[in-house]
PDB file of all heavy atoms in Angstrom:
ATOM      1  N   ALA C 519      59.930  36.213 -54.484  1.00  0.00           N
ATOM      2  CA  ALA C 519      60.543  37.428 -53.936  1.00  0.00           C
ATOM      3  C   ALA C 519      61.602  37.090 -52.889  1.00  0.00           C
ATOM      4  O   ALA C 519      62.699  37.665 -52.884  1.00  0.00           O
ATOM      5  CB  ALA C 519      59.474  38.333 -53.343  1.00  0.00           C
ATOM      6  N   ARG C 520      61.293  36.166 -51.976  1.00  0.00           N
ATOM      7  CA  ARG C 520      62.266  35.796 -50.948  1.00  0.00           C
ATOM      8  C   ARG C 520      63.454  35.032 -51.537  1.00  0.00           C
ATOM      9  O   ARG C 520      64.587  35.172 -51.075  1.00  0.00           O
ATOM     10  CB  ARG C 520      61.570  34.961 -49.865  1.00  0.00           C
ATOM     11  CG  ARG C 520      60.924  35.802 -48.772  1.00  0.00           C
ATOM     12  CD  ARG C 520      59.876  35.027 -47.997  1.00  0.00           C
ATOM     13  NE  ARG C 520      58.596  34.995 -48.708  1.00  0.00           N
ATOM     14  CZ  ARG C 520      57.572  34.239 -48.351  1.00  0.00           C
ATOM     15  NH1 ARG C 520      57.688  33.407 -47.333  1.00  0.00           N
ATOM     16  NH2 ARG C 520      56.449  34.289 -49.028  1.00  0.00           N
ATOM     17  N   THR C 521      63.190  34.217 -52.568  1.00  0.00           N
ATOM     18  CA  THR C 521      64.287  33.513 -53.231  1.00  0.00           C
ATOM     19  C   THR C 521      65.215  34.510 -53.912  1.00  0.00           C
ATOM     20  O   THR C 521      66.449  34.378 -53.849  1.00  0.00           O
ATOM     21  CB  THR C 521      63.738  32.520 -54.266  1.00  0.00           C
ATOM     22  OG1 THR C 521      62.917  31.541 -53.594  1.00  0.00           O
ATOM     23  CG2 THR C 521      64.856  31.803 -54.995  1.00  0.00           C
ATOM     24  N   ALA C 522      64.643  35.515 -54.566  1.00  0.00           N
ATOM     25  CA  ALA C 522      65.456  36.556 -55.207  1.00  0.00           C
ATOM     26  C   ALA C 522      66.256  37.337 -54.167  1.00  0.00           C
ATOM     27  O   ALA C 522      67.436  37.657 -54.381  1.00  0.00           O
ATOM     28  CB  ALA C 522      64.557  37.493 -56.011  1.00  0.00           C
ATOM     29  N   THR C 523      65.637  37.646 -53.028  1.00  0.00           N
ATOM     30  CA  THR C 523      66.335  38.333 -51.943  1.00  0.00           C
ATOM     31  C   THR C 523      67.500  37.488 -51.441  1.00  0.00           C
ATOM     32  O   THR C 523      68.583  38.010 -51.138  1.00  0.00           O
ATOM     33  CB  THR C 523      65.361  38.624 -50.788  1.00  0.00           C
ATOM     34  OG1 THR C 523      64.285  39.441 -51.257  1.00  0.00           O
ATOM     35  CG2 THR C 523      66.072  39.326 -49.638  1.00  0.00           C
ATOM     36  N   ASN C 524      67.274  36.196 -51.354  1.00  0.00           N
ATOM     37  CA  ASN C 524      68.311  35.269 -50.911  1.00  0.00           C
ATOM     38  C   ASN C 524      69.545  35.338 -51.821  1.00  0.00           C
ATOM     39  O   ASN C 524      70.680  35.416 -51.355  1.00  0.00           O
ATOM     40  CB  ASN C 524      67.733  33.846 -50.911  1.00  0.00           C
ATOM     41  CG  ASN C 524      68.677  32.813 -50.340  1.00  0.00           C
ATOM     42  OD1 ASN C 524      69.408  33.081 -49.382  1.00  0.00           O
ATOM     43  ND2 ASN C 524      68.683  31.635 -50.918  1.00  0.00           N
ATOM     44  N   ILE C 525      69.294  35.335 -53.129  1.00  0.00           N
ATOM     45  CA  ILE C 525      70.395  35.381 -54.096  1.00  0.00           C
ATOM     46  C   ILE C 525      71.095  36.735 -54.054  1.00  0.00           C
ATOM     47  O   ILE C 525      72.336  36.815 -54.041  1.00  0.00           O
ATOM     48  CB  ILE C 525      69.869  35.094 -55.515  1.00  0.00           C
ATOM     49  CG1 ILE C 525      69.347  33.655 -55.591  1.00  0.00           C
ATOM     50  CG2 ILE C 525      70.960  35.306 -56.558  1.00  0.00           C
ATOM     51  CD1 ILE C 525      68.640  33.319 -56.889  1.00  0.00           C
ATOM     52  N   ARG C 526      70.318  37.806 -54.008  1.00  0.00           N
ATOM     53  CA  ARG C 526      70.923  39.155 -53.968  1.00  0.00           C
ATOM     54  C   ARG C 526      71.730  39.383 -52.695  1.00  0.00           C
ATOM     55  O   ARG C 526      72.633  40.217 -52.671  1.00  0.00           O
ATOM     56  CB  ARG C 526      69.831  40.218 -54.079  1.00  0.00           C
ATOM     57  CG  ARG C 526      69.089  40.236 -55.417  1.00  0.00           C
ATOM     58  CD  ARG C 526      68.262  41.494 -55.560  1.00  0.00           C
ATOM     59  NE  ARG C 526      67.393  41.443 -56.720  1.00  0.00           N
ATOM     60  CZ  ARG C 526      66.092  41.178 -56.675  1.00  0.00           C
ATOM     61  NH1 ARG C 526      65.504  40.951 -55.517  1.00  0.00           N
ATOM     62  NH2 ARG C 526      65.369  41.155 -57.784  1.00  0.00           N
ATOM     63  N   SER C 527      71.411  38.640 -51.650  1.00  0.00           N
ATOM     64  CA  SER C 527      72.119  38.787 -50.377  1.00  0.00           C
ATOM     65  C   SER C 527      73.407  37.979 -50.337  1.00  0.00           C
ATOM     66  O   SER C 527      74.098  37.974 -49.311  1.00  0.00           O
ATOM     67  CB  SER C 527      71.210  38.372 -49.208  1.00  0.00           C
ATOM     68  OG  SER C 527      70.037  39.157 -49.186  1.00  0.00           O
ATOM     69  N   GLY C 528      73.695  37.259 -51.423  1.00  0.00           N
ATOM     70  CA  GLY C 528      74.973  36.548 -51.511  1.00  0.00           C
ATOM     71  C   GLY C 528      74.935  35.066 -51.245  1.00  0.00           C
ATOM     72  O   GLY C 528      75.986  34.442 -51.042  1.00  0.00           O
ATOM     73  N   ALA C 529      73.751  34.457 -51.231  1.00  0.00           N
ATOM     74  CA  ALA C 529      73.651  33.015 -50.960  1.00  0.00           C
ATOM     75  C   ALA C 529      74.428  32.216 -52.003  1.00  0.00           C
ATOM     76  O   ALA C 529      74.468  32.576 -53.182  1.00  0.00           O
ATOM     77  CB  ALA C 529      72.192  32.582 -50.956  1.00  0.00           C
ATOM     78  N   VAL C 530      75.044  31.123 -51.553  1.00  0.00           N
ATOM     79  CA  VAL C 530      75.770  30.241 -52.473  1.00  0.00           C
ATOM     80  C   VAL C 530      75.234  28.816 -52.452  1.00  0.00           C
ATOM     81  O   VAL C 530      75.638  27.987 -53.264  1.00  0.00           O
ATOM     82  CB  VAL C 530      77.285  30.223 -52.148  1.00  0.00           C
ATOM     83  CG1 VAL C 530      77.901  31.571 -52.394  1.00  0.00           C
ATOM     84  CG2 VAL C 530      77.521  29.764 -50.708  1.00  0.00           C
ATOM     85  N   GLY C 531      74.330  28.513 -51.519  1.00  0.00           N
ATOM     86  CA  GLY C 531      73.804  27.153 -51.425  1.00  0.00           C
ATOM     87  C   GLY C 531      72.558  27.080 -50.569  1.00  0.00           C
ATOM     88  O   GLY C 531      72.085  28.096 -50.029  1.00  0.00           O
ATOM     89  N   PRO C 532      72.013  25.891 -50.391  1.00  0.00           N
ATOM     90  CA  PRO C 532      70.750  25.715 -49.660  1.00  0.00           C
ATOM     91  C   PRO C 532      70.850  25.965 -48.155  1.00  0.00           C
ATOM     92  O   PRO C 532      69.824  26.050 -47.489  1.00  0.00           O
ATOM     93  CB  PRO C 532      70.381  24.256 -49.955  1.00  0.00           C
ATOM     94  CG  PRO C 532      71.665  23.588 -50.297  1.00  0.00           C
ATOM     95  CD  PRO C 532      72.494  24.627 -50.985  1.00  0.00           C
ATOM     96  N   VAL C 533      72.056  26.104 -47.634  1.00  0.00           N
ATOM     97  CA  VAL C 533      72.205  26.347 -46.193  1.00  0.00           C
ATOM     98  C   VAL C 533      71.554  27.664 -45.797  1.00  0.00           C
ATOM     99  O   VAL C 533      71.061  27.812 -44.671  1.00  0.00           O
ATOM    100  CB  VAL C 533      73.698  26.327 -45.796  1.00  0.00           C
ATOM    101  CG1 VAL C 533      73.888  26.759 -44.348  1.00  0.00           C
ATOM    102  CG2 VAL C 533      74.279  24.928 -45.986  1.00  0.00           C
ATOM    103  N   SER C 534      71.511  28.624 -46.710  1.00  0.00           N
ATOM    104  CA  SER C 534      70.880  29.907 -46.392  1.00  0.00           C
ATOM    105  C   SER C 534      69.400  29.722 -46.058  1.00  0.00           C
ATOM    106  O   SER C 534      68.867  30.399 -45.177  1.00  0.00           O
ATOM    107  CB  SER C 534      71.033  30.877 -47.570  1.00  0.00           C
ATOM    108  OG  SER C 534      70.438  30.347 -48.738  1.00  0.00           O
ATOM    109  N   GLY C 535      68.729  28.793 -46.755  1.00  0.00           N
ATOM    110  CA  GLY C 535      67.329  28.499 -46.449  1.00  0.00           C
ATOM    111  C   GLY C 535      67.159  27.877 -45.073  1.00  0.00           C
ATOM    112  O   GLY C 535      66.193  28.152 -44.361  1.00  0.00           O
ATOM    113  N   ILE C 536      68.117  27.039 -44.701  1.00  0.00           N
ATOM    114  CA  ILE C 536      68.091  26.427 -43.369  1.00  0.00           C
ATOM    115  C   ILE C 536      68.314  27.489 -42.298  1.00  0.00           C
ATOM    116  O   ILE C 536      67.631  27.516 -41.263  1.00  0.00           O
ATOM    117  CB  ILE C 536      69.170  25.326 -43.271  1.00  0.00           C
ATOM    118  CG1 ILE C 536      68.844  24.195 -44.256  1.00  0.00           C
ATOM    119  CG2 ILE C 536      69.288  24.793 -41.851  1.00  0.00           C
ATOM    120  CD1 ILE C 536      69.918  23.136 -44.370  1.00  0.00           C
ATOM    121  N   VAL C 537      69.273  28.386 -42.549  1.00  0.00           N
ATOM    122  CA  VAL C 537      69.547  29.483 -41.609  1.00  0.00           C
ATOM    123  C   VAL C 537      68.315  30.361 -41.437  1.00  0.00           C
ATOM    124  O   VAL C 537      67.980  30.787 -40.333  1.00  0.00           O
ATOM    125  CB  VAL C 537      70.745  30.328 -42.103  1.00  0.00           C
ATOM    126  CG1 VAL C 537      70.901  31.588 -41.259  1.00  0.00           C
ATOM    127  CG2 VAL C 537      72.023  29.503 -42.063  1.00  0.00           C
ATOM    128  N   GLN C 538      67.628  30.642 -42.551  1.00  0.00           N
ATOM    129  CA  GLN C 538      66.405  31.443 -42.486  1.00  0.00           C
ATOM    130  C   GLN C 538      65.402  30.832 -41.520  1.00  0.00           C
ATOM    131  O   GLN C 538      64.809  31.526 -40.687  1.00  0.00           O
ATOM    132  CB  GLN C 538      65.784  31.552 -43.886  1.00  0.00           C
ATOM    133  CG  GLN C 538      64.477  32.313 -43.923  1.00  0.00           C
ATOM    134  CD  GLN C 538      63.301  31.470 -44.433  1.00  0.00           C
ATOM    135  OE1 GLN C 538      62.288  32.004 -44.845  1.00  0.00           O
ATOM    136  NE2 GLN C 538      63.415  30.162 -44.394  1.00  0.00           N
ATOM    137  N   SER C 539      65.215  29.511 -41.619  1.00  0.00           N
ATOM    138  CA  SER C 539      64.246  28.833 -40.751  1.00  0.00           C
ATOM    139  C   SER C 539      64.673  28.902 -39.285  1.00  0.00           C
ATOM    140  O   SER C 539      63.849  29.123 -38.395  1.00  0.00           O
ATOM    141  CB  SER C 539      64.099  27.371 -41.190  1.00  0.00           C
ATOM    142  OG  SER C 539      63.522  27.297 -42.470  1.00  0.00           O
ATOM    143  N   VAL C 540      65.947  28.715 -39.034  1.00  0.00           N
ATOM    144  CA  VAL C 540      66.466  28.779 -37.659  1.00  0.00           C
ATOM    145  C   VAL C 540      66.294  30.190 -37.102  1.00  0.00           C
ATOM    146  O   VAL C 540      65.929  30.375 -35.930  1.00  0.00           O
ATOM    147  CB  VAL C 540      67.951  28.355 -37.618  1.00  0.00           C
ATOM    148  CG1 VAL C 540      68.536  28.581 -36.231  1.00  0.00           C
ATOM    149  CG2 VAL C 540      68.102  26.897 -38.026  1.00  0.00           C
ATOM    150  N   PHE C 541      66.541  31.201 -37.938  1.00  0.00           N
ATOM    151  CA  PHE C 541      66.394  32.601 -37.509  1.00  0.00           C
ATOM    152  C   PHE C 541      64.951  32.902 -37.112  1.00  0.00           C
ATOM    153  O   PHE C 541      64.700  33.528 -36.064  1.00  0.00           O
ATOM    154  CB  PHE C 541      66.838  33.535 -38.629  1.00  0.00           C
ATOM    155  CG  PHE C 541      66.769  34.992 -38.270  1.00  0.00           C
ATOM    156  CD1 PHE C 541      67.798  35.611 -37.581  1.00  0.00           C
ATOM    157  CD2 PHE C 541      65.650  35.754 -38.611  1.00  0.00           C
ATOM    158  CE1 PHE C 541      67.721  36.960 -37.235  1.00  0.00           C
ATOM    159  CE2 PHE C 541      65.568  37.101 -38.275  1.00  0.00           C
ATOM    160  CZ  PHE C 541      66.608  37.696 -37.588  1.00  0.00           C
ATOM    161  N   VAL C 542      63.990  32.461 -37.928  1.00  0.00           N
ATOM    162  CA  VAL C 542      62.577  32.691 -37.613  1.00  0.00           C
ATOM    163  C   VAL C 542      62.186  31.931 -36.349  1.00  0.00           C
ATOM    164  O   VAL C 542      61.401  32.420 -35.534  1.00  0.00           O
ATOM    165  CB  VAL C 542      61.679  32.273 -38.803  1.00  0.00           C
ATOM    166  CG1 VAL C 542      60.197  32.439 -38.453  1.00  0.00           C
ATOM    167  CG2 VAL C 542      62.006  33.098 -40.042  1.00  0.00           C
ATOM    168  N   LEU C 543      62.741  30.734 -36.170  1.00  0.00           N
ATOM    169  CA  LEU C 543      62.481  29.963 -34.949  1.00  0.00           C
ATOM    170  C   LEU C 543      62.976  30.713 -33.717  1.00  0.00           C
ATOM    171  O   LEU C 543      62.274  30.786 -32.690  1.00  0.00           O
ATOM    172  CB  LEU C 543      63.168  28.597 -35.049  1.00  0.00           C
ATOM    173  CG  LEU C 543      63.095  27.706 -33.803  1.00  0.00           C
ATOM    174  CD1 LEU C 543      61.656  27.362 -33.458  1.00  0.00           C
ATOM    175  CD2 LEU C 543      63.913  26.430 -34.019  1.00  0.00           C
ATOM    176  N   LEU C 544      64.174  31.290 -33.803  1.00  0.00           N
ATOM    177  CA  LEU C 544      64.715  32.062 -32.674  1.00  0.00           C
ATOM    178  C   LEU C 544      63.847  33.285 -32.389  1.00  0.00           C
ATOM    179  O   LEU C 544      63.621  33.636 -31.220  1.00  0.00           O
ATOM    180  CB  LEU C 544      66.154  32.489 -32.978  1.00  0.00           C
ATOM    181  CG  LEU C 544      67.194  31.356 -33.017  1.00  0.00           C
ATOM    182  CD1 LEU C 544      68.552  31.889 -33.442  1.00  0.00           C
ATOM    183  CD2 LEU C 544      67.292  30.668 -31.664  1.00  0.00           C
ATOM    184  N   PHE C 545      63.351  33.926 -33.444  1.00  0.00           N
ATOM    185  CA  PHE C 545      62.433  35.055 -33.254  1.00  0.00           C
ATOM    186  C   PHE C 545      61.197  34.611 -32.492  1.00  0.00           C
ATOM    187  O   PHE C 545      60.738  35.301 -31.568  1.00  0.00           O
ATOM    188  CB  PHE C 545      62.041  35.642 -34.609  1.00  0.00           C
ATOM    189  CG  PHE C 545      60.883  36.603 -34.531  1.00  0.00           C
ATOM    190  CD1 PHE C 545      61.080  37.920 -34.170  1.00  0.00           C
ATOM    191  CD2 PHE C 545      59.577  36.174 -34.788  1.00  0.00           C
ATOM    192  CE1 PHE C 545      60.012  38.805 -34.076  1.00  0.00           C
ATOM    193  CE2 PHE C 545      58.507  37.044 -34.695  1.00  0.00           C
ATOM    194  CZ  PHE C 545      58.720  38.371 -34.335  1.00  0.00           C
ATOM    195  N   LEU C 546      60.656  33.450 -32.889  1.00  0.00           N
ATOM    196  CA  LEU C 546      59.454  32.936 -32.236  1.00  0.00           C
ATOM    197  C   LEU C 546      59.707  32.684 -30.748  1.00  0.00           C
ATOM    198  O   LEU C 546      58.878  33.029 -29.896  1.00  0.00           O
ATOM    199  CB  LEU C 546      59.014  31.640 -32.932  1.00  0.00           C
ATOM    200  CG  LEU C 546      57.768  30.954 -32.380  1.00  0.00           C
ATOM    201  CD1 LEU C 546      56.525  31.774 -32.685  1.00  0.00           C
ATOM    202  CD2 LEU C 546      57.625  29.554 -32.968  1.00  0.00           C
ATOM    203  N   LEU C 547      60.847  32.102 -30.421  1.00  0.00           N
ATOM    204  CA  LEU C 547      61.152  31.727 -29.041  1.00  0.00           C
ATOM    205  C   LEU C 547      61.535  32.929 -28.181  1.00  0.00           C
ATOM    206  O   LEU C 547      61.284  32.932 -26.966  1.00  0.00           O
ATOM    207  CB  LEU C 547      62.285  30.700 -29.016  1.00  0.00           C
ATOM    208  CG  LEU C 547      61.990  29.352 -29.692  1.00  0.00           C
ATOM    209  CD1 LEU C 547      63.223  28.455 -29.653  1.00  0.00           C
ATOM    210  CD2 LEU C 547      60.804  28.657 -29.036  1.00  0.00           C
ATOM    211  N   LEU C 548      62.144  33.958 -28.794  1.00  0.00           N
ATOM    212  CA  LEU C 548      62.680  35.070 -28.010  1.00  0.00           C
ATOM    213  C   LEU C 548      61.814  36.320 -28.033  1.00  0.00           C
ATOM    214  O   LEU C 548      61.727  37.041 -27.036  1.00  0.00           O
ATOM    215  CB  LEU C 548      64.097  35.417 -28.505  1.00  0.00           C
ATOM    216  CG  LEU C 548      65.140  34.301 -28.401  1.00  0.00           C
ATOM    217  CD1 LEU C 548      66.463  34.762 -29.019  1.00  0.00           C
ATOM    218  CD2 LEU C 548      65.346  33.876 -26.957  1.00  0.00           C
ATOM    219  N   PHE C 549      61.162  36.590 -29.174  1.00  0.00           N
ATOM    220  CA  PHE C 549      60.499  37.885 -29.321  1.00  0.00           C
ATOM    221  C   PHE C 549      59.007  37.802 -29.622  1.00  0.00           C
ATOM    222  O   PHE C 549      58.387  38.835 -29.910  1.00  0.00           O
ATOM    223  CB  PHE C 549      61.185  38.685 -30.441  1.00  0.00           C
ATOM    224  CG  PHE C 549      62.640  38.933 -30.195  1.00  0.00           C
ATOM    225  CD1 PHE C 549      63.605  38.228 -30.908  1.00  0.00           C
ATOM    226  CD2 PHE C 549      63.060  39.845 -29.246  1.00  0.00           C
ATOM    227  CE1 PHE C 549      64.953  38.440 -30.687  1.00  0.00           C
ATOM    228  CE2 PHE C 549      64.409  40.073 -29.006  1.00  0.00           C
ATOM    229  CZ  PHE C 549      65.362  39.370 -29.729  1.00  0.00           C
ATOM    230  N   ALA C 550      58.437  36.605 -29.592  1.00  0.00           N
ATOM    231  CA  ALA C 550      57.021  36.451 -29.942  1.00  0.00           C
ATOM    232  C   ALA C 550      56.087  37.381 -29.162  1.00  0.00           C
ATOM    233  O   ALA C 550      55.138  37.938 -29.743  1.00  0.00           O
ATOM    234  CB  ALA C 550      56.600  34.993 -29.763  1.00  0.00           C
ATOM    235  N   PRO C 551      56.300  37.592 -27.849  1.00  0.00           N
ATOM    236  CA  PRO C 551      55.372  38.465 -27.101  1.00  0.00           C
ATOM    237  C   PRO C 551      55.285  39.884 -27.671  1.00  0.00           C
ATOM    238  O   PRO C 551      54.234  40.523 -27.606  1.00  0.00           O
ATOM    239  CB  PRO C 551      55.965  38.480 -25.691  1.00  0.00           C
ATOM    240  CG  PRO C 551      56.724  37.200 -25.589  1.00  0.00           C
ATOM    241  CD  PRO C 551      57.296  36.976 -26.955  1.00  0.00           C
ATOM    242  N   TYR C 552      56.401  40.385 -28.226  1.00  0.00           N
ATOM    243  CA  TYR C 552      56.403  41.753 -28.757  1.00  0.00           C
ATOM    244  C   TYR C 552      55.565  41.876 -30.028  1.00  0.00           C
ATOM    245  O   TYR C 552      55.139  42.984 -30.394  1.00  0.00           O
ATOM    246  CB  TYR C 552      57.843  42.207 -29.040  1.00  0.00           C
ATOM    247  CG  TYR C 552      58.704  42.234 -27.794  1.00  0.00           C
ATOM    248  CD1 TYR C 552      59.622  41.226 -27.551  1.00  0.00           C
ATOM    249  CD2 TYR C 552      58.579  43.259 -26.857  1.00  0.00           C
ATOM    250  CE1 TYR C 552      60.411  41.239 -26.410  1.00  0.00           C
ATOM    251  CE2 TYR C 552      59.355  43.273 -25.702  1.00  0.00           C
ATOM    252  CZ  TYR C 552      60.276  42.258 -25.483  1.00  0.00           C
ATOM    253  OH  TYR C 552      61.039  42.277 -24.347  1.00  0.00           O
ATOM    254  N   ALA C 553      55.335  40.753 -30.720  1.00  0.00           N
ATOM    255  CA  ALA C 553      54.527  40.789 -31.938  1.00  0.00           C
ATOM    256  C   ALA C 553      53.079  41.179 -31.644  1.00  0.00           C
ATOM    257  O   ALA C 553      52.345  41.601 -32.546  1.00  0.00           O
ATOM    258  CB  ALA C 553      54.567  39.435 -32.638  1.00  0.00           C
ATOM    259  N   SER C 554      52.663  41.033 -30.400  1.00  0.00           N
ATOM    260  CA  SER C 554      51.295  41.382 -30.016  1.00  0.00           C
ATOM    261  C   SER C 554      50.994  42.862 -30.235  1.00  0.00           C
ATOM    262  O   SER C 554      49.835  43.256 -30.391  1.00  0.00           O
ATOM    263  CB  SER C 554      51.055  41.038 -28.540  1.00  0.00           C
ATOM    264  OG  SER C 554      51.226  39.663 -28.313  1.00  0.00           O
ATOM    265  N   TYR C 555      52.047  43.697 -30.241  1.00  0.00           N
ATOM    266  CA  TYR C 555      51.848  45.144 -30.390  1.00  0.00           C
ATOM    267  C   TYR C 555      51.704  45.578 -31.845  1.00  0.00           C
ATOM    268  O   TYR C 555      51.392  46.738 -32.116  1.00  0.00           O
ATOM    269  CB  TYR C 555      53.030  45.897 -29.761  1.00  0.00           C
ATOM    270  CG  TYR C 555      53.168  45.679 -28.279  1.00  0.00           C
ATOM    271  CD1 TYR C 555      54.141  44.817 -27.779  1.00  0.00           C
ATOM    272  CD2 TYR C 555      52.326  46.330 -27.375  1.00  0.00           C
ATOM    273  CE1 TYR C 555      54.288  44.606 -26.414  1.00  0.00           C
ATOM    274  CE2 TYR C 555      52.456  46.130 -26.004  1.00  0.00           C
ATOM    275  CZ  TYR C 555      53.438  45.261 -25.531  1.00  0.00           C
ATOM    276  OH  TYR C 555      53.568  45.055 -24.186  1.00  0.00           O
ATOM    277  N   ILE C 556      51.944  44.669 -32.787  1.00  0.00           N
ATOM    278  CA  ILE C 556      51.906  45.041 -34.206  1.00  0.00           C
ATOM    279  C   ILE C 556      50.469  45.346 -34.627  1.00  0.00           C
ATOM    280  O   ILE C 556      49.587  44.500 -34.527  1.00  0.00           O
ATOM    281  CB  ILE C 556      52.467  43.915 -35.085  1.00  0.00           C
ATOM    282  CG1 ILE C 556      53.938  43.653 -34.745  1.00  0.00           C
ATOM    283  CG2 ILE C 556      52.314  44.252 -36.568  1.00  0.00           C
ATOM    284  CD1 ILE C 556      54.533  42.464 -35.490  1.00  0.00           C
ATOM    285  N   PRO C 557      50.207  46.548 -35.134  1.00  0.00           N
ATOM    286  CA  PRO C 557      48.851  46.884 -35.589  1.00  0.00           C
ATOM    287  C   PRO C 557      48.513  46.147 -36.886  1.00  0.00           C
ATOM    288  O   PRO C 557      49.375  45.976 -37.761  1.00  0.00           O
ATOM    289  CB  PRO C 557      48.922  48.394 -35.834  1.00  0.00           C
ATOM    290  CG  PRO C 557      50.167  48.864 -35.161  1.00  0.00           C
ATOM    291  CD  PRO C 557      51.115  47.709 -35.206  1.00  0.00           C
ATOM    292  N   LEU C 558      47.283  45.724 -37.013  1.00  0.00           N
ATOM    293  CA  LEU C 558      46.854  45.098 -38.266  1.00  0.00           C
ATOM    294  C   LEU C 558      46.940  46.103 -39.414  1.00  0.00           C
ATOM    295  O   LEU C 558      47.189  45.729 -40.563  1.00  0.00           O
ATOM    296  CB  LEU C 558      45.420  44.585 -38.130  1.00  0.00           C
ATOM    297  CG  LEU C 558      45.191  43.498 -37.061  1.00  0.00           C
ATOM    298  CD1 LEU C 558      43.736  43.045 -37.092  1.00  0.00           C
ATOM    299  CD2 LEU C 558      46.123  42.320 -37.269  1.00  0.00           C
ATOM    300  N   ALA C 559      46.773  47.379 -39.095  1.00  0.00           N
ATOM    301  CA  ALA C 559      46.870  48.427 -40.121  1.00  0.00           C
ATOM    302  C   ALA C 559      48.292  48.549 -40.662  1.00  0.00           C
ATOM    303  O   ALA C 559      48.488  49.011 -41.790  1.00  0.00           O
ATOM    304  CB  ALA C 559      46.422  49.769 -39.540  1.00  0.00           C
ATOM    305  N   ALA C 560      49.289  48.146 -39.875  1.00  0.00           N
ATOM    306  CA  ALA C 560      50.675  48.193 -40.338  1.00  0.00           C
ATOM    307  C   ALA C 560      50.983  47.035 -41.283  1.00  0.00           C
ATOM    308  O   ALA C 560      51.898  47.118 -42.112  1.00  0.00           O
ATOM    309  CB  ALA C 560      51.628  48.163 -39.143  1.00  0.00           C
ATOM    310  N   MET C 561      50.219  45.940 -41.157  1.00  0.00           N
ATOM    311  CA  MET C 561      50.434  44.785 -42.021  1.00  0.00           C
ATOM    312  C   MET C 561      49.713  44.953 -43.356  1.00  0.00           C
ATOM    313  O   MET C 561      50.100  44.352 -44.365  1.00  0.00           O
ATOM    314  CB  MET C 561      49.959  43.509 -41.327  1.00  0.00           C
ATOM    315  CG  MET C 561      50.587  43.298 -39.963  1.00  0.00           C
ATOM    316  SD  MET C 561      50.363  41.636 -39.319  1.00  0.00           S
ATOM    317  CE  MET C 561      51.700  40.792 -40.123  1.00  0.00           C
ATOM    318  N   ALA C 562      48.668  45.774 -43.369  1.00  0.00           N
ATOM    319  CA  ALA C 562      47.880  45.963 -44.596  1.00  0.00           C
ATOM    320  C   ALA C 562      48.717  46.478 -45.767  1.00  0.00           C
ATOM    321  O   ALA C 562      48.662  45.915 -46.865  1.00  0.00           O
ATOM    322  CB  ALA C 562      46.702  46.889 -44.313  1.00  0.00           C
ATOM    323  N   PRO C 563      49.510  47.553 -45.592  1.00  0.00           N
ATOM    324  CA  PRO C 563      50.289  48.030 -46.742  1.00  0.00           C
ATOM    325  C   PRO C 563      51.328  47.032 -47.234  1.00  0.00           C
ATOM    326  O   PRO C 563      51.672  47.037 -48.421  1.00  0.00           O
ATOM    327  CB  PRO C 563      50.954  49.312 -46.217  1.00  0.00           C
ATOM    328  CG  PRO C 563      50.871  49.241 -44.749  1.00  0.00           C
ATOM    329  CD  PRO C 563      49.653  48.447 -44.428  1.00  0.00           C
TER     330      PRO C 563
END
C-alpha cells in the first residue's frame, strides 16, 4: 500500500524512500510528545 502511494505521489526513484525515513525521524524528534494524546480507539479503525 505504501509503495503504491509512493508511485501515485510521483516518485521517480529510491530517494523518495529515503525522504520518507527522514520525515518520520523528524516527526519523532519534533512531535513525539503529542502522540501521547492519540486514543487507541482512533487507531483501531
